[in-house]
Amino acid sequence: MLAGGVALAAAFAAGPLSARAAPAARKIGLQLYTVRELFAPDPIGTLEKVAAIGYREVEYGGGGYEAMDHAALRKAMDRLGLTAPSIHVGYDALAGKFDETVAMARTLGADTIIVPWMEEKFLEAAAWRGAVADFNRFAERLKAVGLGFAYHNHDFEFTHKDGDRTLFDVLLAEGDPELLGIELDLFWAIKAGQDAKALIRRLPGRVYAYHVKDMTAEGAMTSVGKGVIDFADIFTLNDMAGVRHLYVENDQSPAPYLPDITTSFTTLSRLGA
């Protein structure tokens, strides 16, 4: 109880983002990019299969979802007992189609917009700093309409530098901590040589969600539970991080896809994260 109280106090001390700290029991979600080859031709059928496995949250990304009938997707989710707390939206779309993005998020029931990737041109230090300034502006505008904002990492944020700082350091230093959350992809951070727990300790109350996928001894992606990442140990910091959602994602999930996401769901269910 004492340890839990200390963690809770630390989370509230971290600021407004931590006021949205995770509940005790987190539902297991799926980033739909994992099953994009199924989702693109049959979105409703894919949602049905995902729900049948036991997932109760999904995160939209890839598969052409931006151009789909969002009201129809929402109707299907409501029928299946699914929610979509967050959606992935490209940097350019937020910059150029802000109102359409907000409307899409609201129709799908999302509370947070996440930028999932940045083009190679942003690896240059000045361009990255400009993008982070834009993130702050996006987050301010989204807050004004009742939505949150977060950024999803890959490995390049830790391997490219601006002087003696990594791009991730710049993101933390120049991104507004009151507004800019982090969707922490644990695989990509570890792939880049980061100590996952040390990294999380730098982000008290700022982790909106984890992307969870495992890593083989050779460094390849695999289903959660079939690799070497000690998620049980990492998840001991969940409350301090403020993490609200756990999204299974496998960028390279092998066809037919459903066995892969079933294994990950079963493993995370057993962990009770």
Side-chain angles (χ1 to χ4, degrees), residues 2-155:
L2 179 60
V6 170
L8 185 62
F12 276 103
L17 276 173
S18 59
R20 306 194 297 265
R26 297 166 183 85
K27 297 176 183 177
I28 301 169
L30 176 70
Q31 165 50 251
L32 290 169
Y33 183 77
T34 307
V35 292
R36 58 196 177 277
E37 298 297 334
L38 300 177
F39 185 81
D42 185 15
I44 304 301
T46 302
L47 290 175
E48 291 171 344
K49 292 178 175 68
V50 167
I53 291 169
Y55 287 96
R56 290 296 172 261
E57 293 184 345
V58 293
E59 182 178 59
Y60 285 89
Y65 91 91
E66 302 92 338
M68 292 179 181
D69 183 338
H70 303 124
L73 291 174
R74 177 64 179 275
K75 183 177 180 180
M77 287 193 299
D78 290 345
R79 170 172 59 84
L80 296 167
L82 293 171
T83 60
S86 50
I87 61 175
H88 279 191
V89 176
Y91 172 88
D92 289 341
L94 262 178
K97 297 181 178 179
F98 183 86
D99 291 341
E100 296 94 323
T101 295
V102 169
M104 178 171 63
R106 286 178 169 160
T107 301
L108 292 171
D111 61 48
T112 299
I113 304 292
I114 296 170
V115 168
W117 175 256
M118 296 296 285
E119 296 178 11
E120 188 174 353
K121 65 184 178 181
F122 290 104
L123 300 184
E124 193 274 324
W128 179 255
R129 290 196 300 272
V132 173
D134 285 341
F135 294 164
N136 288 332
R137 286 190 282 272
F138 295 157
E140 281 281 7
R141 293 185 69 189
L142 289 168
K143 179 182 178 182
V145 296
L147 295 172
F149 177 83
Y151 178 79
H152 168 277
N153 68 280
H154 286 78
D155 55 350

Side-chain angles (χ1 to χ4, degrees), residues 211-233:
H211 270 195
V212 187
K213 51 205 168 202
D214 219 331
M215 181 185 296
T216 68
E218 295 74 32
M221 287 184 195
T222 190
S223 311
V224 180
K226 296 179 73 173
V228 298
I229 296 177
D230 189 347
F231 290 107
D233 185 45

Side-chain angles (χ1 to χ4, degrees), residues 7 197 201 210 230-241:
K197 292 181 75 175
R201 289 189 181 101
Y210 291 140
D230 189 347
F231 290 107
D233 185 45
I234 292 170
F235 290 164
T236 61
L237 298 182
N238 283 359
D239 289 337
M240 184 205 76

Side-chain angles (χ1 to χ4, degrees), residues 138-217:
F138 295 157
E140 281 281 7
R141 293 185 69 189
L142 289 168
K143 179 182 178 182
V145 296
L147 295 172
F149 177 83
Y151 178 79
H152 168 277
N153 68 280
H154 286 78
D155 55 350
F156 70 83
E157 296 89 349
F158 303 101
T159 59
H160 285 72
K161 291 194 172 184
D162 176 0
D164 60 355
R165 300 187 300 174
T166 68
L167 298 186
F168 197 80
D169 292 336
V170 174
L171 179 70
L172 296 188
E174 301 185 13
D176 186 338
E178 304 296 320
L179 297 173
L180 201 163
I182 303 295
E183 182 170 69
L184 185 59
D185 190 304
L186 294 166
F187 172 94
W188 283 116
I190 293 168
K191 184 79 169 178
Q194 295 294 300
D195 179 317
K197 292 181 75 175
L199 179 60
I200 292 165
R201 289 189 181 101
R202 296 177 62 194
L203 303 168
R206 290 190 67 179
V207 181
Y208 173 79
Y210 291 140
H211 270 195
V212 187
K213 51 205 168 202
D214 219 331
M215 181 185 296
T216 68

